[in-house]
Amino acid sequence: MDLLAADALGADEVLGQLDTRIGGLTSTEARDRLVTFGPNALRSHGARPWTVLARQLHNPLLVLLVGAALVSAVTGDRIDAGVIGVIVALSVGLGFFNEYRSEKAVEALHGQIHHDATVLRDGRPVLVDVVQLVPGDVVMVKVGDVVPADLRLAVATELECDEGVLTGESMPAVKQIEAVTGTHGAQDLASCAFMGTIVRAGAGTGVVVQTGRATAFGQIAVGLGQDQAQTAFQLGLRRFSVMLVRVAGVLTVGIFVVNLLLHRPFLEALLFSLAIAIGLTPQLLPAIVTVSLSTGTRRLAAKKVLVKRLVAIEDLGNVTTLFTDKTGTLTEGTITFDRALGPHGEQDDRSLLLGLLCNEAVVADGVAVSGNQLDMALWEAAGTNRDAAGSWSRVGMAPFDHQRRLASVVVVDPDGGPLLITKGEPEAILSRCLDAPGEAQSVLDGLFDAGARVIAVATRPAGSVTAPKPADEAGLDFAGFLVFIDQPKTSAATSLRRLADLGVVTKVITGDSERVARKVCSDLGMDTTHVLIGSQVEAMDDVALTLAISTTFVFARMTPEQKSRIIQVAHNEGGDIAFLGDGVNDAVALHHADVGISVDTATDVAKDAADILLLDKDLGVLADGIHEGRRIFANTMKYVLMATSSNFGNMFSAAGASLFLPYLPMLPSQLLLNNLLYDAGQMTIPTDNVDGEMLTRPSQWDIAFIRRFMSVFGPISSIFDFATFGILLWVLNATQDEFRSGWFVESLATQTLVIFIIRTRRIPFFKSRPSTPLLIAICATVAVGAVLPFSPVASVLGFTALPVEFLGLLVVLVAIYLALAELGKHWFYACVARSGAKPAQPLARRRDQHIRRIHRRAARFTQIGTLPGGTRHPSRIRRPRTRQPSRR
């Protein structure tokens, strides 16, 4: 149904035309419509083998090499051309296997991240994956929800939606249920709620009119495609690759031209030059990174950390400051109702009754199935008071919002008397009461000092008020306090120490009271000398706030805007900032943090804004994530340093030798085989152990450091290559095939074994041991290279058996090379330390916040895997969870 047409009709008429009812579709109807209309998805994610294979073949150098080999085969050298073809196929297969495996890991990762909507099916509220919504479904939305489809509203209670993702407007749009007449645009419909917008206030119920790409948000998101702004890690990878490709390009062209000037055959010179280029270009780098990241996601998933984008793991490893909320991270996160107190601090069940009447929990069959934690805990603990509350009737409600920090209802008592009940933040309630007793404040202070969560309740005669407004929340009579308990988490102190050992400064930022925050943080050993509250932050300019942030570890009574401002000011001072939050009022700060972290049970808007989701809201789990991010970066750098040292040195040696030898130092097929075996050994780098000192601080891409490293270790490798040339030519009088065989064995041994030197700044094996897979892979690679000249395929590959004395000299040469590389390593790092070189600065990231927000929100409407017809199995429908996170 067209949304403009739905807006022009009454809600009942829309329900009728969509052949549905206010109680929603039946499960059978919904299943049939899913087949007819397809999933409510904007994107799909699945591991597609042909797509992965196409990426492997999308390499101009590879295409040129294969083309040249085919020409070589046609002109007579079929054996060499065939060998090149087989080696290229094996190389492509190696890359395909690893990338496809990583794609499957990402698919499994996306499958663990669920986005649900509260839908009426069979007349009952259930949680349904947003992808399974269909036209005619009746959806309930509340504060903090992301609207899951285009809805025609049937119920709207003080409903306001943030439509900035569509319009760019900062002010929320007020919604109503009446049909609108007159001219207006498709995004200016007061009786409709649009997919991708956020419920900022109130609550509502609407019927799904349009889904997926037919929605206004869907058209915008699809138009943007799926490419997102690059992270600092991706920028570093790109800059490194560009640097190495430039070096390879200059060297390759030079080799080709010189070989032509030496009157070498054109095809032979071209094949050799292309083989050199492939050996120099970091073609394995994307695979190494992808394998590292996908391995990291599997490790983190086992530790209950879900990463929405693979590269976010690297950003997590760069975190220097963590701002976190209090509930569930420093406390157990299980809110339980403790007691109800009267105006003077005495036990009083009337406060409990009033709290039940002013309650936003969604109840089905006597069970609270959704809502904020405080309201649900109150309902669960009410007992017989529920029966008493049932004799009252609700007339109207002003739902909770974070500006007022209040909720109000108008109810009618069993005798027919209207009463307005207001419940919310104690300070806000007390400021609106006419005659609160003097001891009320001291009672409240005592509860806060004990670390309790407190809600205050007040009343007044409703008079003629039926739909309460904020202006009606005044002149109240104080009724009492509702006290809740959330105990400090026993593991929190240990987790804080782990984060400190990782060089991460942890700061608490909460909407709770100063006294409660100070009590909990003090019990966990945090510095509470300075505590900033929201009103103080409001009075500071950015310069004063910057100074205050540097010495403050606890921020209390913070509004969403104040949280976001603190995150932005901290970011401007340098370092990567992470923010952990799960409430409606955390979304803006999550968007502005370098790494947004939330939990699987968070509000929609918080999950939408986050890069990382925790299945267990625990700082220890987060420390695992930071540790893993740094481990992945460290292992990625090992491959980078390998590619710019020994591998580069060997390719440079091949180029140099071709200038003075009367024949090519290696055949193109031998160069490619050398590169293939080298790559196969390096694929185990992601499993390697990382020294502890590499994890105590974040690392940044430093292209200048990489160039210096290459300028030292590349020549060391080349020196020993030329020493090998001398021994083969002048000591052993090697023939052409013996020279090629001997250098193949030596070059493969040196460029692979040096990983044991480069992988650590310590003394290898004695002070730092490699992982078992890496040790086995490298030793196996060297063994295969040494055996090939003696194998049955030696003649096909252009090899011949080597003299025994050369093998003995080879062992001595390799041992000297590794010893010299070890000495060079210590000298190099000592020079770096003496030079006092400043740590690399984080690469600047230009991020359009609006586009970033659209990409993140569109990700929630992602289909995992497809069936014939493009639909997904409509099987994952379940009853709502009985716990939801607190809005704080």
Side-chain angles (χ1 to χ4, degrees), residues 288 634-647 650 677-689 691 709 713 717 747-765 768-771 773-782 814 817-818 821-822 825 829:
I288 286 284
N635 280 337
T636 302
M637 287 303 299
K638 291 174 186 178
Y639 175 77
V640 167
L641 296 179
M642 285 285 289
T644 55
S645 56
S646 63
N647 191 34
N650 280 348
L677 291 173
Y678 170 80
D679 285 351
Q682 304 306 299
M683 291 304 298
T684 53
I685 286 179
T687 70
D688 193 25
N689 304 320
D691 297 339
F709 193 92
F713 286 88
S717 176
S747 66
L748 186 62
T750 54
Q751 71 176 334
T752 52
L753 288 173
V754 79
I755 182 62
F756 297 129
I757 307 298
I758 291 175
R759 60 169 293 277
T760 178
R761 295 190 183 189
R762 303 176 182 179
I763 299 174
F765 295 102
S768 177
R769 294 184 179 181
S771 68
L774 179 64
L775 180 63
I776 292 174
I778 296 302
C779 292
T781 299
V782 175
V814 169
Y817 168 69
L818 294 179
E822 177 68 13
K825 177 184 73 176
Y829 286 118

Side-chain angles (χ1 to χ4, degrees), residues 116-118 127 139-148 159-162 194 196-204 370 584 602-606 608 857 860 884:
D116 298 324
T118 302
L127 289 182
V139 177
M140 302 169 67
V141 293
K142 62 183 184 302
V143 173
D145 286 350
V146 174
V147 178
L159 182 63
E160 296 181 5
C161 292
D162 178 355
F194 301 99
T197 61
I198 298 170
V199 180
R200 286 299 184 198
S370 69
V584 177
T603 57
D604 273 0
V605 66
D608 165 68
R857 201 156 296 161
R860 70 188 298 106
Q884 291 289 333

